[in-house]
Amino acid sequence: MELIITEKNNAARRIAEILSGGSATTTQRNGVNVYEWGLTTCVGLSGHVVGVDFPEEYSDWRDVEPVELIDADIVKSPTQENIVRTLRQLAREADEATIATDYDREGELIGKEAYELIREETDAPVKRVRFSSITEREVKSAFDEPDDIDFDLAAAGEARQVIDLVWGAALTRFLSLSARQLGQDFISVGRVQSPTLKLIVDREREIQAFDPEDYWELFADLAKDGETFEAQYFYDDDGSEAERVWDEADADEAHERLREATSAEVTSVRRRTRTDNPPAPFNTTAFISAAGSLGYSAQRAMSIAEELYTTGYITYPRTDNTVYPEDLDPEELLDEFTMTHEFGDDAESLLERDEIEPTEGDDETTDHPPIHPTGAVPDRDELDEDEWEVYELVVRRFFATVAEAATWEHLRVVAAANGCQLKATGKRLLEAGYHDVYPYSSASESFLPPVEEGDALDVTDVELEAKQTQPPRRYGQSRLIQQMEDMGIGTKATRHNVIEKLYDRGYIESDPPRPTSLAEAVVEAAEEFADLVVSEDMTAQLEADMSAIANGEATLDDVTAESREMLDRVFEELRDSREDIGDHLQESLKADRRLGPCPESDHDLLVRQSRQGSYFVGCDGFPECRYTLPLPSTGEPLVLEEACEEHGLNHVKMLAGRDTFVHGCPQCKADEADDTEDEVIGLCPDCGDEHEGNLAIKKLRSGSRLVGCTRYPDCDYSLPLPRRGDIEITDEYCDDHDLPELVVHSGDDPWELGCPICNYQEYQARQAVDDLEDLDGVGPATAERLETAGVSEPADLRDVDPDVLATEIQGVSSSQIRDWISQLPEVDPGDDDDDDPDDTVSGSEDGEIMDDIRAEVEEVESD
DNA sequence: GCAAGGTC
């Protein structure tokens, strides 16, 4: 048997298809896809299936001095057990193996890892094939002339693994231990993340150090035949045009002159035609940037792209390439879109061009094509809204790259008024070109009426505007990724993850990202003692060393030994400063959680976490001062810059994905709750008859509101209410529950919430439908059809016969339904509740609200 | 529980 190994499952499937002429069959071994035809078997890895780490005895951070890691052994162990097991099994049956991983350094290393696993099972010959795109021609010719594994190139990759692990782990442990930050909130550093963080911190330093300067600008409205346009004052500053006036007296003088002017004479009119070329094909960075201007974070854009890739609608989203490969036929691809409702007209019009010559970017690599749509076009309702928007972006970008250039007419008018010069510019789109199919980049026109030299214009509405120079702007996520690419750090597949990691580690917050005090302290400590790790030079040096290894000019051992010596010297420096660094880091950690003065002691209030994991506000003077305030139970608290004027406490925002909200000043929220009387609206359905409990609208000190029983905590019946808006209790009563209908007033549109019990039941029903969409391959449309067929929540699928249901729902196969059923969580045998409506709203099923109430009465845990 | 690099 001949065994072929690829880097990922998708590549395995396509190579099997090509080499077998479509006859390959798919089976599963240990849950891993295996493709077979004739005497050949093909299996895909999932990138690296083994990882590097230190031996077991180094795993307890407190038992090991970080410096010991420098010379510790490094061992490789499987990280993808099932794939490794499958590979071993297949190797035992193989007479010959071929490594067909990606054609790049990391691919060579992944191939060598597979080789070593195979060698542990068999002495069969192992070959290597290289091809830069998975096309029939390239793949077949690569397999006709197999080569050998390039062990030097793989060793270059191993050097990177070793150096990254040793530096990253030793310094991360050093900082974490010195600040006594173990467990979840360790303090990390690394070759890629730390220079990226320094970029953000440096920009923040520039912003902090910025000293704004005053200047003035003047504007006047000019009119010809009643058509008005705005012009700006400018003057000659050493031969170049300047609009900003730096001296107030000069500005006042110009203002006076313009106000006295009754007319302006046009002294020059210049018309120019400009070509606006269509954009280059998408690589990862350009894609993230374009998706960013549609409001997607880098992480979100990439995860949607990966989803679209695995479902087969777009090509591989991790690529540096901006030049379409030769085997891409743009006309053929356009043809696939002509029959679609959304893109048909645009595709037709592009096909009418005489000659289609796609644009090209500067970067050409051969591992993967630029991101473009495959010929498979999804129906709109197969994708959710975000997926569709991103898919459309990729389709339209492809369209743009095969569309014509746009042309603009730029018009510039200069006029003189009472010795002052005024100018106005306008632009008009002459040929929309690619903008017709790619409506994302700005194509906005600015209007100027047709004026001629010598025309006399009316001057009206002269304005003097006082302004200040602005500090540099913070980097946005896509700008950061661009900057990382320019600096040569990270890869197309990791840059967006690095940004996400900085958020997770508490180094940056908000968007655009702003560094925390902790981030500043970490960068300061690194700058002082381990400058290399916050510098892009470390990567540059590593790249040079890796090239040397790949060329045979150096060995893995040379390079890693030298790197270890450098790190030894760093630790020499660090040795005496351990405590200072730790204190500084701890101070910064506290600063990020500090809200302001405690009303009962001379200390500050801090955001703290109870032993159970819930957040609250507590005094830094604990245990002497036991003052506390509750926080909402949803999300992670973030201390905002804005502070409450009354209490001097910073506002708190609760980060909870889609449900993120600003809580505000926790003292104000608690006071409001204390000052608000409970409003009784009816009898409690749980204990009203028996104990005369009433339902009341309650405001909690944590800021949330609910309808709850007045006998709490003896009765914990409750219903949720929105956090915001005034609640009006109307005279209308619900027939079913004998409760008043409620109306929430916030913003312009009042929201008729209705009976709180009915409302909660409807809410739960909606949640159930939303849960349906969490199943793979269920979009909004399918969820709706499922609901009509009686499946209103995922658990309902357990009770259906897939074959029967498939006949009831259009476009859904019984095997798809079986797949959904296989995604359902394990059934808890005790959970056979019937659908008693009142049962669904009682205590245990409503953790969030009950947590809020408990937070009020619970004695807060000490540190 | 550390990094960065693959991929899902």
Side-chain angles (χ1 to χ4, degrees):
Chain A
M1 182 266 270
E2 188 193 342
L3 176 62
I4 298 169
I5 296 121
T6 68
E7 188 154 323
K8 45 191 164 279
N9 175 50
N10 259 317
R13 199 184 51 232
R14 290 181 55 199
I15 284 168
E17 205 172 281
I18 290 170
L19 295 180
S20 73
S23 71
T25 57
T26 312
T27 53
Q28 293 221 329
R29 283 215 198 185
N30 310 309
V32 179
N33 283 340
V34 174
Y35 305 91
E36 286 168 294
W37 67 100
L39 292 173
T40 310
T41 303
C42 183
V43 66
L45 307 175
S46 181
H48 292 285
V49 293
V50 295
V52 289
D53 208 344
F54 301 109
E56 181 70 38
E57 60 264 34
Y58 292 91
S59 57
D60 191 336
W61 293 30
R62 285 158 306 187
D63 283 355
V64 179
E65 278 296 319
V67 71
E68 292 179 58
L69 295 178
I70 300 177
D71 292 309
D73 283 342
I74 289 178
V75 292
K76 280 188 188 182
S77 58
T79 50
Q80 304 273 1
E81 305 269 7
N82 285 343
I83 297 178
V84 170
R85 191 178 319 136
T86 308
L87 179 59
R88 286 181 186 279
Q89 289 169 0
L90 294 173
R92 285 198 286 272
E93 300 161 27
D95 311 306
E96 191 186 322
T98 306
I99 307 289
T101 47
D102 285 1
Y103 187 7
D104 53 27
R105 184 176 59 222
E106 218 62 37
E108 205 69 23
L109 176 53
I110 291 165
K112 189 208 158 192
E113 289 161 0
Y115 164 85
E116 285 178 337
L117 292 166
I118 294 167
R119 267 293 161 269
E120 287 176 26
E121 307 296 331
T122 174
D123 287 331
V126 178
K127 294 284 183 194
R128 166 76 161 128
V129 288
R130 298 186 180 83
F131 41 86
S132 44
S133 67
I134 307 181
T135 59
E136 184 160 346
R137 190 168 57 83
E138 289 220 26
V139 169
K140 282 190 166 162
S141 76
F143 274 85
D144 282 343
E145 284 179 55
D147 196 359
D148 294 313
I149 293 176
D150 182 345
F151 289 96
D152 285 343
L153 183 58
E158 288 181 292
R160 179 199 59 70
Q161 287 186 318
V162 170
I163 290 170
D164 281 340
L165 176 64
V166 172
W167 280 72
L171 288 172
T172 294
R173 285 197 196 181
F174 178 86
L175 292 184
S176 304
L177 284 163
S178 67
R180 286 175 282 284
Q181 284 289 304
L182 299 179
Q184 285 276 291
D185 298 317
F186 57 86
I187 298 172
S188 70
V189 260
R191 175 178 56 83
V192 174
Q193 60 166 293
S194 297
T196 308
L197 188 58
K198 179 170 155 61
L199 214 55
I200 300 170
V201 168
D202 278 344
R203 177 54 61 89
E204 201 67 17
R205 288 167 170 163
E206 282 176 55
I207 294 171
Q208 295 300 331
F210 187 79
D211 188 12
E213 218 180 319
D214 292 322
Y215 70 89
W216 289 265
E217 286 184 328
L218 296 106
F219 299 90
D221 280 353
L222 300 179
K224 186 193 178 190
D225 304 332
E227 287 192 289
T228 305
F229 59 99
E230 191 183 65
Q232 182 170 16
Y233 167 83
F234 72 98
Y235 60 97
D236 181 86
D237 180 33
D238 265 347
S240 64
E241 275 179 23
E243 296 86 34
R244 294 179 173 188
V245 183
W246 299 98
D247 183 274
E248 189 169 13
D250 291 350
D252 285 339
E253 191 198 319
H255 189 209
E256 202 50 41
R257 289 232 299 270
L258 281 172
R259 279 211 306 212
E260 284 166 7
T262 47
S263 80
E265 188 194 335
V266 176
T267 54
S268 97
V269 174
R270 195 177 68 200
R271 280 194 168 76
R272 275 203 297 210
T273 308
R274 282 278 164 85
T275 305
D276 170 11
N277 286 317
F282 266 153
N283 62 8
T284 302
T285 304
F287 162 71
I288 287 175
S289 170
S293 49
L294 296 179
Y296 294 92
S297 73
Q299 187 71 34
R300 178 86 184 119
M302 282 309 285
S303 86
I304 294 174
E306 275 154 23
E307 181 68 28
L308 293 170
Y309 160 68
T310 38
T311 41
Y313 298 131
I314 67 171
T315 57
Y316 195 63
R318 296 182 274 262
T319 176
D320 289 325
N321 197 358
T322 52
V323 180
Y324 292 129
E326 270 174 43
D327 61 272
L328 178 87
D329 182 342
E331 270 125 6
E332 222 170 84
L333 188 48
L334 281 171
D335 260 334
E336 303 288 345
F337 290 94
T338 53
M339 298 304 285
T340 67
H341 176 251
E342 287 85 3
F343 306 111
D345 292 347
D346 288 335
E348 295 278 9
S349 76
L350 288 167
L351 282 166
E352 282 166 19
R353 293 190 65 188
D354 298 337
E355 200 184 341
I356 293 183
E357 188 61 43
T359 58
E360 295 185 354
D362 294 333
D363 302 309
E364 182 165 13
T365 61
T366 49
D367 43 359
H368 298 286
I371 307 170
H372 65 79
T374 62
V377 186
D379 282 338
R380 189 168 189 148
D381 58 15
E382 276 174 58
L383 304 179
D384 70 28
E385 248 172 76
D386 288 357
E387 287 167 347
W388 179 266
E389 194 176 24
V390 170
Y391 176 70
E392 180 168 1
L393 173 68
V394 173
V395 172
R396 294 198 170 280
R397 180 63 160 226
F398 163 68
F399 283 0
T401 61
V402 294
E404 267 172 293
T407 50
W408 293 86
E409 182 188 66
H410 286 243
L411 179 61
R412 178 187 146 98
V413 174
V414 177
N418 199 14
C420 292
Q421 296 219 84
L422 293 164
K423 65 174 174 181
T425 55
K427 59 179 191 170
R428 206 155 58 88
L429 197 52
L430 297 177
E431 296 281 350
Y434 76 91
H435 291 291
D436 277 340
V437 295
Y438 192 70
Y440 308 100
S441 59
S442 167
S444 63
E445 304 184 280
S446 55
F447 166 83
L448 280 190
V451 295
E452 302 296 334
E453 240 176 81
D455 280 357
L457 306 173
D458 294 333
V459 182
T460 57
D461 227 5
V462 175
E463 298 272 358
L464 173 66
E465 289 183 15
K467 297 187 172 180
Q468 283 195 319
T469 53
Q470 296 295 307
R473 284 229 290 263
R474 293 192 175 111
Y475 290 113
Q477 292 191 20
S478 48
R479 189 67 232 296
L480 267 177
I481 287 172
Q482 180 67 56
Q483 190 72 27
M484 291 170 77
E485 188 178 323
D486 295 347
M487 285 165 42
I489 58 175
T491 72
K492 64 213 172 187
T494 59
R495 288 184 198 112
H496 61 276
N497 294 334
V498 171
I499 311 249
E500 205 57 21
K501 192 184 283 180
L502 296 179
Y503 277 108
D504 289 347
R505 297 285 156 85
Y507 288 147
I508 55 176
E509 53 201 23
S510 317
D511 190 16
R514 175 168 67 86
T516 60
S517 303
L518 173 64
E520 284 162 8
V522 169
V523 170
E524 281 164 24
E527 281 170 338
E528 195 174 343
F529 298 101
D531 196 25
L532 198 57
V533 86
V534 277
S535 159
E536 64 208 83
D537 298 347
M538 180 155 178
T539 296
Q541 180 63 51
L542 180 63
E543 289 287 349
D545 288 339
M546 285 193 291
S547 298
I549 297 173
N551 296 335
E553 294 158 11
T555 66
L556 170 64
D557 287 343
D558 297 341
V559 166
T560 53
E562 194 189 342
S563 181
R564 284 178 160 119
E565 276 167 35
M566 286 177 66
L567 187 56
D568 261 325
R569 288 195 288 276
V570 167
F571 268 84
E572 203 105 321
E573 297 282 316
L574 280 170
R575 204 173 46 198
D576 299 330
S577 308
R578 192 163 179 158
E579 265 183 46
D580 289 347
I581 293 173
D583 290 348
H584 185 37
L585 290 172
Q586 281 190 319
E587 262 319 299
S588 318
L589 278 162
K590 201 176 266 185
D592 287 328
R593 295 164 16 227
R594 192 188 308 276
L595 293 185
C598 171
E600 292 187 355
S601 72
D602 294 335
H603 298 96
D604 277 330
L605 292 181
L606 305 173
V607 171
R608 325 195 79 151
Q609 203 167 7
S610 76
R611 218 171 273 168
Q612 284 82 15
S614 61
Y615 295 96
F616 66 98
V617 174
C619 183
D620 198 14
F622 184 88
E624 286 76 40
C625 176
R626 294 179 164 267
Y627 190 77
T628 64
L629 291 168
L631 286 173
S633 55
T634 32
E636 295 244 331
L638 168 67
V639 178
L640 300 178
E641 279 171 301
E642 188 188 358
C644 164
E645 285 186 22
E646 193 182 341
H647 304 103
L649 300 179
N650 289 76
H651 286 185
V652 177
K653 187 175 184 175
M654 300 305 294
L655 303 177
R658 226 172 238 280
D659 299 324
T660 294
F661 62 94
V662 174
H663 174 60
C665 165
Q667 185 68 63
C668 288
K669 283 290 180 298
D671 291 351
E672 271 171 39
D674 292 342
D675 296 343
T676 309
E677 293 279 323
D678 292 354
E679 273 186 88
V680 172
I681 57 167
L683 267 189
C684 172
D686 264 11
C687 70
D689 295 337
E690 214 178 322
H691 299 104
E692 291 169 13
N694 280 316
L695 281 191
I697 295 180
K698 298 180 169 197
K699 197 157 182 135
L700 308 187
R701 302 190 86 222
S702 63
S704 57
R705 269 189 310 202
L706 51 78
V707 171
C709 183
T710 48
R711 288 181 58 252
Y712 182 84
D714 293 326
C715 170
D716 61 6
Y717 183 91
S718 78
L719 302 162
L721 285 176
R723 199 169 280 279
R724 289 175 190 288
D726 293 327
I727 294 177
E728 181 199 341
I729 304 167
T730 68
D731 300 334
E732 307 268 330
Y733 270 71
C734 166
D735 294 337
D736 294 336
H737 306 104
D738 202 27
L739 289 175
E741 314 257 326
L742 305 180
V743 179
V744 183
H745 297 272
S746 67
D748 299 336
D749 273 338
W751 168 32
E752 306 209 359
L753 186 145
C755 159
I757 293 182
C758 295
N759 170 266
Y760 188 50
Q761 288 169 355
E762 285 159 21
Y763 167 79
Q764 287 194 312
R766 272 199 308 279
Q767 283 300 111
V769 178
D770 286 351
D771 289 347
L772 279 177
E773 290 186 35
D774 287 341
L775 297 170
D776 280 341
V778 180
T782 311
E784 210 180 298
R785 286 182 209 146
L786 280 167
E787 206 200 351
T788 335
V791 180
S792 52
E793 58 177 312
D796 292 344
L797 284 167
R798 289 187 213 287
D799 308 326
V800 303
D801 178 342
D803 297 314
V804 177
L805 190 62
T807 60
E808 287 174 31
I809 304 177
Q810 236 186 351
V812 172
S813 68
S814 54
S815 69
Q816 241 175 328
I817 297 169
R818 287 199 180 84
D819 179 48
W820 296 331
I821 295 172
S822 72
Q823 291 175 47
L824 297 177
E826 296 288 316
V827 200
D828 177 358
D831 183 22
D832 59 351
D833 278 12
D834 58 4
D835 273 345
D836 178 359
D838 284 349
D839 190 50
T840 60
V841 292
S842 67
S844 65
E845 299 209 10
D846 190 33
E848 178 194 329
I849 299 161
M850 300 328 294
D851 279 352
D852 258 347
I853 299 179
R854 274 183 221 111
E856 269 202 308
V857 291
E858 196 172 51
E859 187 70 31
V860 173
E861 281 291 321
S862 61
D863 287 13

